[in-house]
Amino acid sequence: MRQSNLYIPTLREVPSDAEAISHQLLVRAGFIRQSVSGVYSFLPLGRKVLRKVETIIREEMDRIGSQEVLMPALQPSELWEESGRWETYGPELMRLNDRHDRKFALGATHEELITSLLRDEVKSYKRLPMVLYQIQAKFRDEKRPRFGLLRGREFIMKDAYSFDVGPDGLDRNYEAIYNAYMNVFNRCGLNFRAVIADSGAMGGKDTHEFMVLADIGEDTIAYSDQSEFAANIEMAPVKETYTKDTSPVKERIKVDTGNKRTISEVAEYLDVEPQKCIKSLLWMVDEKPVLVLSRGDHEINDIKIKNVLEAEVVELATEVRTKEIIGCEVGYIGPVGVPEEVKVIADHAVASITNGVCGANEPGKHYQHVNPDADFNVDLYEDLRFIKEGDPSPDGKGKIVFAKGIEVGHVFKLGTRYSESMNASILDENGKAKPITMGSYGIGVSRILAAVVEQMHDEDGMIWPKSLSPFDVHLICVNPKNESQFQLGEDLYAKLKNDRLDILYDDRKERAGVKFTDADLIGISVQVIVGKRAEEGVVEVKNRQTGEKVEKHISELERYISKL
Ligand code: ATP
Ligand code: MG
């Protein structure tokens, strides 16, 4: 392709609203343009990279026997009502009415649609297993669309769905797709980790997220410095390594703490360590009050509360609610003498506290020398806290470190969540009807572009890995007005094209500096520069990644390029 004909509207200035480096570079280099917040057009270079990602995904999905389909974005509300998600999905689901006032959603995901597609046709176990996938625009009215392609409101997703007779089949498909995803992200040149995740609103159990390590990432990953262990911080189990303090038990006393409410204020005032304090917070768990206790230096993880109590909705009680239920304001509440109807659960660490400190359920008062089980009752001890950096890794190998991650893929075991609510069943070998066992698997195709740029760029621009580079070679004729440069440029363009290389040929009548700046910004992995020594048949080859430049005679050029 001749650059003089290609639509690459590069910008010198960084777009003012672009915080993420990938957003800045993709816009500056003319790969994408914003239409409205969170909605983008892919210009020719962006489209080419997107297509390369799609091709890798198709190859890996097809290799495991998955079949490509294309479902509509426009979906009738009835399907979402059947699954119950018309109610529960919330404002992220883009909804609209047609001219007859019939309600629709723009697909945020396709569990409902695909279940409806199969339930009328697939009636026997003989048709299973099956995995279907598609690559298509998804719509989510995100609360905070930002960072360009990282969080859009319309974005490209590859979604796949597996259908099996039972859990064993699901396990096999899950593993096959998990491995296909590993291949996809490796082939995209990403530095990533597969982490244990929370199944969230999708319903279901086993789930992993594929996280690209990058500071802009919105998720925190907890991983071991010595093993393969990695989990989303929301899900990382804490290994119990607490030793009970065996000092002699003292008698409980009530002390004045005035206006001191937070753990650090109270600990400092009473001159005890935060580890000796019992933090008490009232949570509403499916609208029932639960007092959750943790050690003063730990943070409670609401997802763990939700999972432990098998609840739907877990939220911190408001100050008003807390006062109504406990009879005392936040800051002074504690587990001693709480009303009967309040369930008390505690993180394991609390059990090891001896002669601790907690709120006395009286304004301005705390208890000192409180002892679990002697002074208050705990209905359940569980792992309820967030893991911390330096904690032992849950697999017993090494210590936990944190990193920020961008989620580029997600695999879920759905089980029968959708097949039951939407009546998709088959007859098994014994002629018995049973719901189809399903899995759901997503890749953020457009998000991958941004994730790659976040990891691979320098101060001059983007650096595409060969597998995703919009062109194989950027051929640059430094000065087309010079006859031998012009001739050699044209010859090489024709020749390399014939060798099935995809060439971007900078034949523009621009200054050399402009061409070099643009080439580095666009980031095609190999640059071939036709300049001063054109007459001798010598060109310069630049490896965009290393910045290394070598002179090569055109007779050695192809071999050298293919080696790169
Ligand atoms: P996130 O936590 O980032 O919102 P999610 O858990 O909602 O992601 P899934 O429902 O699992 O995402 O969707 C599958 C994949 O689609 C994600 O792994 C991610 O790569 C991509 N994705 C999700 N939301 C967006 C978005 N708003 N913009 C771009 N890609 C997205
Ligand atoms: Mg989301």
Side-chain angles (χ1 to χ4, degrees), residues 140 142 149-152 155 157 407-410 412 442-444 447:
R140 292 183 183 181
E142 298 276 359
L149 298 183
L150 286 175
R151 186 167 298 284
F155 57 96
M157 195 201 283
E407 181 193 321
V408 288
H410 203 167
F412 301 92
I443 292 183
R447 188 181 273 186

Side-chain angles (χ1 to χ4, degrees), residues 206-224:
D206 234 340
T207 127
H208 285 85
E209 287 164 352
F210 295 83
M211 292 284 187
V212 169
L213 304 185
D215 290 337
I216 195 94
E218 296 176 288
D219 290 271
T220 303
I221 308 160
Y223 65 97
S224 164

